[in-house]
Amino acid sequence: MESKIHRHHPFRPGITFGMGAIPDVESYSIFRDGKRLGDTDNHTWYEASSQDESARYEIRALRPSSRQNVPLSSVMEGALKLLNHLKHEPDREREFESFILYILLHPFVSEPLAPNKEPEAVRARLRIMTFIAPPILKNPNLLSPHFYFEGDDRTFDPHATEYRTFTEIAMTGLQDVPHVHLAKQANPTRSLTSTGRLRSEDVASTRKVYLEDIEKDRDFLQFTTRHSVGNPLVIAPDINYTVHTAYGHGRWRLCGTHLRSPHHEIYLQTESCAFQPIHQTHDLGLSFLADPLPSCHWLFMEAR
C-alpha cells in the first residue's frame, strides 16, 4: 500500500493523493476528519483546499478475501452459518479484506522550515491493544461446553485496563541513541455456563509477542512488532498482527496487518502529549471464533 501527496501552487490551493493500485479493488472511499468526501475508482483524488490547518485523511478499500490455503474449523464454521441463518444476517463482511490508508497532513507552508524548527521527538510510546467490546459473548460453537465468554465491556480507549492483549513499546533517545523497550500482557480469558457462572479461566501465553528487525542511528529508528496470542480455553484463530514502525526527521510512518477480529486499537504518544489514535478497527462479531478470517492492511504516515 503506497501513497503520494502533491500540494498545488499557493495561488491555486489544493491537494492530490495518489494511491498505489491494489489488485481487485474496484473503488476507494475518501474521508477527512471523519467526514466522507466521496468515492473514486481512480488511483488519484484531488481536493481544493487551502490546507492552513492539520487534517487527517482516510482512504478505505475492500477486496474479496482469498480462501486458498486457509484452515477451516468445520464445527465452528457450521455453527456460525447456522446461527447467522437463524438470525437472517448473512456474514458478508467475512468475504472481504480491508485496506486503510491514514494521512496526517500538516498545514501548508510556502517556504521550507529552517532546520532548527523541524519538530523532533525525544521519547515516544506506541500502545497496541486488542479487546472484545460486549460484556458477554455467546460461543457460536453450539457443541462447546463453554456457552459464553466474558468480554471487556468497552469501546476504544487508550487507558483501558480491560483488554485481551496489551503491547507497549517505549522509545527513548530519539534525538541521540534510540532505545526501545517492550512490555506485553494478556488478561484472563473466562468462559461462563448457560446460567452465567464462571466455568473456566486461564491466561494466554505472550511468548510469541516480540520485536525484530530493529535498526537505529542518530537520525532514524525502525522496528517490527510481531504478535500471536491464542485462546487458552478453546481451539480458535490466534490474535495475529504485525506492526512496522519507523521514525526519522520528525515524521512517523507505521503500517501493519491483522485479522479483522477482535477489536484492534493503536495509539502513539510523544513527549507529554496525550495518546493519539493511529489505527482503530471494529471486529466481525461472532466471526472472531471461526476460520477463515479476512485481514486488515493499514498504513499511517505524516506529511508536512
Side-chain angles (χ1 to χ4, degrees):
M1 188 186 303
E2 298 179 352
S3 177
K4 294 182 179 179
I5 304 170
H6 176 67
R7 296 182 187 269
H8 294 261
H9 192 277
F11 297 107
R12 291 178 296 161
I15 183 171
T16 298
F17 295 106
M19 292 85 73
I22 303 175
D24 300 324
V25 167
E26 297 181 355
S27 66
Y28 301 84
S29 299
I30 316 298
F31 300 81
R32 182 186 65 231
D33 295 329
K35 179 181 178 181
R36 192 187 194 100
L37 300 180
D39 300 277
T40 179
D41 56 3
N42 296 320
H43 297 152
T44 60
W45 175 269
Y46 169 76
E47 182 190 13
S49 172
S50 60
Q51 201 56 56
D52 53 2
E53 59 183 18
S54 294
R56 181 183 169 100
Y57 289 84
E58 292 184 23
I59 302 171
R60 294 176 171 263
L62 295 173
R63 78 173 180 189
S65 299
S66 172
R67 299 302 176 93
Q68 297 179 353
N69 300 321
V70 179
L72 285 174
S73 174
S74 58
V75 174
M76 291 183 181
E77 184 73 7
L80 183 67
K81 289 180 178 178
L82 173 62
L83 188 61
N84 280 329
H85 176 71
L86 294 175
K87 294 168 58 182
H88 302 289
E89 295 178 1
D91 201 2
R92 298 185 184 279
E93 283 191 277
R94 289 166 58 88
E95 300 176 3
F96 297 92
E97 56 183 332
S98 64
F99 294 81
I100 310 174
L101 170 63
Y102 305 98
I103 301 173
L104 181 58
L105 193 61
H106 295 285
F108 178 87
V109 291
S110 57
E111 296 181 1
L113 290 173
N116 61 354
K117 293 184 179 180
E118 184 72 22
E120 291 282 351
V122 175
R123 63 184 64 86
R125 284 194 293 172
L126 180 66
R127 179 169 293 179
I128 310 168
M129 292 188 285
T130 63
F131 67 96
I132 300 172
I136 301 294
L137 184 72
K138 183 175 177 59
N139 189 347
N141 181 1
L142 304 181
L143 303 180
S144 173
H146 305 278
F147 289 97
Y148 299 92
F149 289 98
E150 185 179 83
D152 299 307
D153 192 19
R154 71 174 179 91
T155 184
F156 297 112
D157 179 2
H159 302 290
T161 57
E162 298 297 326
Y163 45 76
R164 294 302 85 216
T165 62
F166 171 98
T167 305
E168 182 171 280
I169 301 93
M171 295 162 274
T172 58
L174 295 178
Q175 287 183 340
D176 187 14
V177 180
H179 176 75
V180 294
H181 173 74
L182 171 67
K184 55 186 180 179
Q185 182 176 339
N187 268 346
T189 297
R190 300 184 177 96
S191 70
L192 309 175
T193 66
S194 58
T195 59
R197 300 184 64 179
L198 179 67
R199 185 187 189 280
S200 299
E201 177 178 351
D202 201 354
V203 178
S205 170
T206 59
R207 181 176 60 86
K208 293 184 179 180
V209 180
Y210 57 92
L211 302 182
E212 67 176 10
D213 300 331
I214 301 174
E215 298 182 19
K216 54 187 179 180
D217 58 32
R218 290 183 60 89
D219 300 315
F220 185 75
L221 170 66
Q222 73 173 14
F223 57 88
T224 297
T225 307
R226 303 223 179 251
H227 178 287
S228 181
V229 177
N231 187 318
L233 299 181
V234 298
I235 298 175
D238 292 348
I239 302 176
N240 291 327
Y241 66 69
T242 301
V243 177
H244 305 284
T245 303
Y247 177 77
H249 306 291
R251 296 176 178 85
W252 292 93
R253 185 182 188 278
L254 300 97
C255 63
T257 299
H258 62 78
L259 297 179
R260 293 186 62 191
S261 288
H263 283 57
H264 284 70
E265 56 185 349
I266 301 177
Y267 303 94
L268 181 67
Q269 181 189 51
T270 58
E271 304 308 320
S272 59
C273 300
F275 279 100
Q276 300 299 315
I278 297 296
H279 172 62
Q280 298 172 329
T281 56
H282 295 272
D283 69 11
L284 298 183
L286 296 173
S287 301
F288 94 94
L289 288 174
D291 277 322
L293 285 174
S295 295
C296 174
H297 313 272
W298 61 272
L299 166 65
F300 170 91
M301 59 184 292
E302 285 186 295
R304 301 184 183 276

